[in-house]
Amino acid sequence: MLKIAWNELYCHSLPTGHRFPMIKYNLIPEQLIYEGTINDENLFSPILIQEQDILSSHTREYWEKLKNGTLSKREERNTGFPYSEELVMRERTIVQGSIDCSLFALQNRISINVAGGTHHAYSYKGEGFCLLNDIAIAANYLLNHTEIQKILVVDLDVHQGDGTAEIFNNDHRVFTFSMHGEKNFPLKKQKSDLDVPLKDHADDKEYLDLLDWNLKSVIQSFQPEFIFYQAGVDILKNDKLGRLDVSPVGCKERDRMVISTCHENNIPIMINMGGGYSHSIRDIVEAHANTFRLSQEIFF
Ligand SMILES: [Zn+2]
């Protein structure tokens, strides 16, 4: 069964009117249940992650500042969020959701968190709506607590997975692959193991051809035992922050390519949502919902 992490905290803790569209975290499971793609049994509610698991990927200094609310004004501004204890609780719940999903994926081959993909969080700082890096923390959890020793991160959000690249810079057990808008945030990119920068207005064909070629070649050369997939939908043409011209059909085909590649190669996959900032909330929810629909269709 497809296990999906969701907790009511996912959708709370920002002042209304904040530009980060938290409402999608409620609308996505609502839509999926309404249409019958999932039911309540698919959902589980993660609890708060323990501090020791956070420290596998973040410095104690940064975590103490986050926990105690002692980020400088500038550090707080860089996170993109007004600081609150509830926001840190939300993030801790999401990150535990990604750990739990990784373990479910080892059992059931696939699992999804209805949040996460917080790839701009560095070991020592938060940035761009990301406080703790759920991909890094879950990957380190697998490396430290299971037999898994070779992990591939496929980051297809339109923004580079700079925090993840920084955290695993010197760790050869984790291969970071990021395909992103060349001119998008962050302006100063980190070095992933494989970066595929895209020109403005890259369309479906260009996008999917590049993904197909690079995904196959990295799986063949690295032979991963587990894949984390950051499935941000800010690659869509009508995204406010993206600069690409990928259509909703192209975005769905992207998901199909990654999910069916894992299925065919028998590689467990854990998916987290990543960004999505289209003008229409309906487009955002629909694009994210496709990721869940395809996961059900391909695996179950
Ligand atoms: Zn993004």
Side-chain angles (χ1 to χ4, degrees), residues 119-120 157-159 230 234 274-277:
H119 58 172
H120 299 309
D157 191 277
V158 83
H159 304 103
Q230 210 275 25
D234 43 13
Y277 315 94

Side-chain angles (χ1 to χ4, degrees), residues 101-112:
C101 280
S102 309
L103 297 174
F104 276 124
L106 283 182
Q107 286 172 23
N108 304 338
R109 302 178 296 160
I110 187 164
S111 188
I112 313 182

